Amino acid sequence: MKTISIVIPVYNEQENLVVLHERLAQAFDGVRDRSFEVVLVDDHSGDRTPDILCALAAKDPRVHWVRLSRNSGSHTACTAGLDHATGDAVVIMAADLQDPPELIPTLLARHAEGCQVVWAVREQREGESWFTKTASEIFYWLMNRLTNLNLPPMGADVLLADRRVVEAFRRMPERNLSLFAAISWLGFRQASVSYVKQSRHAGQSKWTIRRKIVLAIDSFVGFSYLPLRAMCYIGILAAAVGVLWAACILVLKLMGVTQQVGYASIMITLLILGGLQMLMLGILGEYLWRALEESRRRPRYFVESASVEETTSQSLPPRG
Ligand code: UDP
Ligand code: MG
């Protein structure tokens, strides 16, 4: 019988874990021909999360947990989960019940049809502000236009990945990697199903604006050279405007018209060009800093304690 792993990043979710486990167990009961394991990755929570995870694992042999040595962000926590999952396919979802566990059978049905990556695409998002929704729509629109990725336009927080996809992902050693962008980039046979993203069961979102901006930058820099190219184009454009301007002034001078160049226009040009140069240095810095991070070869995460061992790369199932 095929095993399905459910990987869940957990950060200070003490109020959600017991209900999450109940809902998962109910969803598993509805699936006859699969066995399940749940890998909960504690992203170094400061609340009662570790105790609750131990209690759940003691009660239910399908539950395993891994605790990271420091708070590393949910994408890194999911990466740790993928390294500890043993299933023939892995479902990644959040711990706050925004993504209903009842989705699992739908994802499995598409997997059984031969899809290797199944995205659960948010059709609606409940309990989230207008700002969050709009910013997310702009982000996905830009990602699909500016990178060679094909992400679901409404965004996705849940996905199923076949073992082959998981092994492919594990061969990507990059540090500041957006998990979802990476899985989209990998290719394979991808499909999507839609769902309504619900409000959080309890607690508050841990994705601050700052973290979202970092993820957006990671996603662009990781999969697009466009910012670097844009720097060349902007440079060429600015230089061309300068040459044209100089030519105009020369012609006017030859015609005997004296040009009055005011302080304001000099300041505007100086500030715009100065600003652009700083921006370009910043963009260069983003790429350079990432190259430095990669060259340091620090592990993406450290495990503080765990109820399971890391899986070694498995021999892949026969082609299907
Ligand atoms: N999470 C995590 N590490 C963090 C922040 C969040 O593992 O540093 C987990 C969190 O517990 C949840 C999932 O990632 O299971 C999604 O986080 P959250 O619900 O806070 O984000 P949102 O749904 O608002 O995007
Ligand atoms: Mg959430």
Side-chain angles (χ1 to χ4, degrees), residues 51-173:
D51 301 337
I52 300 173
L53 291 183
C54 279
L56 288 176
K59 197 170 83 175
D60 184 345
R62 293 173 298 190
V63 174
H64 308 292
W65 56 267
V66 177
R67 177 168 163 90
L68 303 188
S69 66
R70 55 197 289 269
N71 180 238
S72 316
S74 65
H75 288 226
T76 305
C78 291
T79 307
L82 292 179
D83 288 342
H84 289 80
T86 56
D88 299 290
V90 177
V91 174
I92 299 174
M93 56 168 46
D96 56 1
L97 292 164
Q98 282 200 281
D99 318 315
E102 294 73 30
L103 256 176
I104 294 171
T106 321
L107 297 174
L108 291 179
R110 296 308 304 269
H111 182 236
E113 287 167 13
C115 303
Q116 291 168 302
V117 177
V118 187
W119 298 92
V121 178
R122 319 185 269 237
E123 192 178 277
Q124 275 177 45
R125 301 169 68 156
E126 291 174 356
E128 284 184 9
S129 68
W130 173 88
F131 177 77
T132 310
K133 288 185 204 168
T134 314
S136 155
E137 273 171 35
I138 294 174
F139 168 72
Y140 283 98
W141 187 83
L142 282 175
M143 280 297 285
N144 285 334
R145 294 281 162 314
L146 303 184
T147 67
N148 50 3
L149 299 178
N150 191 12
L151 290 167
M154 287 298 285
D157 291 315
V158 186
L159 65 80
L160 175 145
D162 184 76
R163 170 58 48 191
R164 274 180 186 281
V165 179
V166 173
E167 291 303 327
F169 174 76
R170 291 180 71 196
R171 284 168 57 198
M172 294 175 81

Side-chain angles (χ1 to χ4, degrees), residues 39-44 53 64-72 76-85 170 298-311:
V39 181
L40 293 140
V41 185
D42 175 7
D43 195 8
H44 206 80
L53 291 183
H64 308 292
W65 56 267
V66 177
R67 177 168 163 90
L68 303 188
S69 66
R70 55 197 289 269
N71 180 238
S72 316
T76 305
C78 291
T79 307
L82 292 179
D83 288 342
H84 289 80
R170 291 180 71 196
R298 285 184 192 156
R300 283 192 272 201
Y301 62 85
F302 295 99
V303 174
E304 189 179 287
S305 49
S307 69
V308 271
E309 289 299 313
E310 186 175 325
T311 43

Side-chain angles (χ1 to χ4, degrees), residues 245-257:
W245 198 345
C248 286
I249 291 172
L250 188 70
V251 170
L252 287 173
K253 188 133 191 147
L254 289 177
M255 286 164 59
V257 185

Side-chain angles (χ1 to χ4, degrees), residues 117 119 148-152 179-188 190:
V117 177
W119 298 92
N148 50 3
L149 299 178
N150 191 12
L151 290 167
L179 173 76
F180 293 94
I183 289 188
S184 161
W185 177 83
L186 281 172
F188 291 95
Q190 306 211 359

Side-chain angles (χ1 to χ4, degrees), residues 252-313:
L252 287 173
K253 188 133 191 147
L254 289 177
M255 286 164 59
V257 185
T258 34
Q259 254 275 18
Q260 288 285 329
V261 179
Y263 172 75
S265 54
I266 291 176
M267 279 310 285
I268 290 168
T269 318
L270 212 89
L271 284 175
I272 292 177
L273 283 184
L276 279 178
Q277 278 173 1
M278 295 295 258
L279 178 74
M280 289 174 177
L281 277 178
I283 292 174
L284 267 184
E286 286 288 340
Y287 285 89
L288 210 70
W289 169 77
R290 278 171 176 74
L292 180 69
E293 283 267 292
E294 296 303 330
S295 69
R296 282 189 181 132
R297 296 181 160 271
R298 285 184 192 156
R300 283 192 272 201
Y301 62 85
F302 295 99
V303 174
E304 189 179 287
S305 49
S307 69
V308 271
E309 289 299 313
E310 186 175 325
T311 43
T312 44
S313 281

